[in-house]
Amino acid sequence: MAVTVSLVALFGLVLFFLLRSKSLGYGAAFIAAGFGFFLASTGAAGPINQLAAAVIDAVK
């Protein structure tokens, strides 16, 4: 759970800075957030969480 919250905060921060630097438009940010939201409700959410946890464990 802590890893998920940390990753959400990290990706949110990256999106914020991309919007602020005008490297990413508001429409693209909305699409990226919507994609992540809907991806989380599919069957792909489990393997993506496992992959993220494995990468984080490998980095430790």
Side-chain angles (χ1 to χ4, degrees):
M1 179 67 177
V3 171
T4 304
V5 173
S6 298
L7 288 176
V8 167
L10 175 68
F11 288 135
L13 191 63
V14 169
L15 276 175
F16 170 77
F17 282 116
L18 285 173
L19 280 170
R20 188 168 178 179
S21 69
K22 296 190 169 82
S23 298
L24 183 70
Y26 289 108
F30 180 74
I31 296 298
F35 175 73
F37 177 77
F38 287 116
L39 184 64
S41 65
T42 66
I48 291 171
N49 285 337
Q50 292 172 352
L51 177 66
V55 168
I56 291 169
D57 286 339
V59 171
K60 284 183 183 178

